[in-house]
Amino acid sequence: MSLSVSFLNSSLPLSRPPPHALSPPPPSSMSLLRRLTPGHLRFNLRHHAGRFATAAAAAVRQDTAAWTQAPLTEVEPAAESLFHVSVDVSDAPDLAASHTRAGQYLQLRVPDVEKPTFLAIASPPLLASAEGVFQFLVKSVEGSIAELLCGLKKGDVVQLSQVMGKGFDVDQIAPPQDYPSVFIFATGSGISPIRSLIESGFGASKRSDVRLYYGARNLKRMAYQDRFDEWESSGVKVVPVLSQPESDWTGESGYVQAAFSNSKKAFDPLSTGAILCGQKQMTEDVTSILVADGVSSEKILKNF
């Protein structure tokens, strides 16, 4: 997800290409009508009416086919302003099968709201194929569609698009023995696709130095703390970084990019990879640090 796919979710930033500034404005409908005689109008209306109706019907069919209705199976607090949301896609095997790589995302629509929200899938792809479930970590922002979603209940029906995005291309840092150092950075709800990555397996146990720098305002805002032991046992050292910690906090504080720089050990940049998801400034700063150290930009993976 802004789709800094937390993309997808408030962490996934999406942009639309700007209109071409030099393109001439289209002629107004009135100027077009003035060029047509009544005879021309009658002919054109008869000629195109059928085509317009056919095109409109096709658009409706296409839109309907692009969305899958599915019930919610869980809407529970995950941390302050964050919610676990699970959707049952067992009746949509094609949709479940379209999730093939950690870091992918989709669009979700809530009842009575046409505009969708983008959400990164937090669960590993195998969960969808094995249990027919998509799981999300959703940040509830006041006045947003995400807030409406977090206010729904188990059994409420939402609409899902097909799964989108290339996800994290972990083939770029494979085989594990060739890339023993992998540094992972996440902030806020950007941990969502990182969870999918870790629980999908990317050979962390076969690498010598895999660290996750996970930033949040404080521990109350940090999701998935109950999974840290499991992630550590898979070979990922979890480094929580709090920007506004409580007075008794003894761990890393500030921002993840600074925490990484301060604790940075010697590593071979030619055999190092990185995986980033979260706040834009963080991803830009971390990328600059790693590239300056000699890490190839192709080995710095993002999910958008």
Side-chain angles (χ1 to χ4, degrees), residues 9-190:
N9 199 341
S10 57
S11 65
L12 197 132
L14 296 173
S15 59
R16 299 178 183 272
H20 297 293
L22 299 181
S23 298
S28 69
S29 56
M30 288 306 298
S31 64
L32 288 174
L33 287 173
R34 292 191 190 100
R35 300 177 194 173
L36 299 174
T37 65
H40 285 139
L41 283 172
R42 284 193 297 271
F43 171 79
N44 278 282
L45 287 173
R46 287 195 305 268
H47 181 69
H48 291 294
R51 293 172 60 187
F52 290 158
T54 302
V60 170
R61 287 195 301 271
Q62 183 178 12
D63 180 69
T64 302
W67 295 92
T68 299
Q69 294 194 76
L72 298 174
T73 59
E74 179 186 28
V75 183
E76 298 292 341
E80 191 175 280
S81 301
L82 294 170
F83 287 79
H84 295 297
V85 175
S86 297
V87 184
D88 181 359
V89 292
S90 57
D91 288 337
D94 290 344
L95 175 59
S98 68
H99 184 207
T100 59
R101 181 183 281 175
Q104 291 179 301
Y105 58 94
L106 50 69
Q107 296 180 78
L108 182 148
R109 292 199 302 210
V110 300
D112 304 319
V113 180
E114 186 68 19
K115 183 180 179 180
T117 187
F118 286 82
L119 297 175
I121 302 173
S123 48
L126 284 178
L127 190 67
S129 57
E131 300 182 19
V133 173
F134 283 159
Q135 295 177 339
F136 306 93
L137 179 67
V138 183
K139 182 177 181 180
S140 179
V141 178
E142 185 176 358
S144 70
I145 299 170
E147 182 186 37
L148 297 177
L149 172 61
C150 295
L152 297 179
K153 306 296 182 184
K154 179 179 178 179
D156 288 340
V157 174
V158 296
Q159 291 184 323
L160 305 177
S161 73
Q162 287 294 302
V163 175
M164 306 172 180
K166 61 183 179 64
F168 297 115
D169 186 6
V170 293
D171 291 341
Q172 293 290 330
I173 53 173
Q177 58 268 26
D178 290 349
Y179 296 92
S181 297
V182 175
F183 307 127
I184 308 170
F185 301 85
T187 55
S189 57

Side-chain angles (χ1 to χ4, degrees), residues 23 63 78 90 92 110 117 138 144 205-206 222 247 255 284 290 295:
S23 298
D63 180 69
S90 57
V110 300
T117 187
V138 183
S144 70
S205 62
K206 299 177 182 178
M222 183 166 279
S247 58
Y255 297 105
E284 292 177 348
L290 293 171
V295 178

Side-chain angles (χ1 to χ4, degrees), residues 166-244:
K166 61 183 179 64
F168 297 115
D169 186 6
V170 293
D171 291 341
Q172 293 290 330
I173 53 173
Q177 58 268 26
D178 290 349
Y179 296 92
S181 297
V182 175
F183 307 127
I184 308 170
F185 301 85
T187 55
S189 57
I191 194 65
S192 177
I194 297 299
R195 176 205 152 189
S196 180
L197 170 82
I198 294 172
E199 297 181 9
S200 296
F202 65 103
S205 62
K206 299 177 182 178
R207 306 176 195 264
S208 59
D209 186 11
V210 179
R211 280 175 270 160
L212 164 62
Y213 290 86
Y214 176 14
R217 180 178 299 178
N218 51 51
L219 286 177
K220 294 179 182 178
R221 294 286 188 102
M222 183 166 279
Y224 297 144
Q225 294 180 54
D226 59 333
R227 295 180 176 271
F228 287 177
D229 287 344
E230 178 186 337
W231 294 355
E232 294 251 2
S233 66
S234 74
V236 178
K237 177 176 174 53
V238 180
V239 183
V241 184
L242 306 182
S243 60
Q244 298 178 24

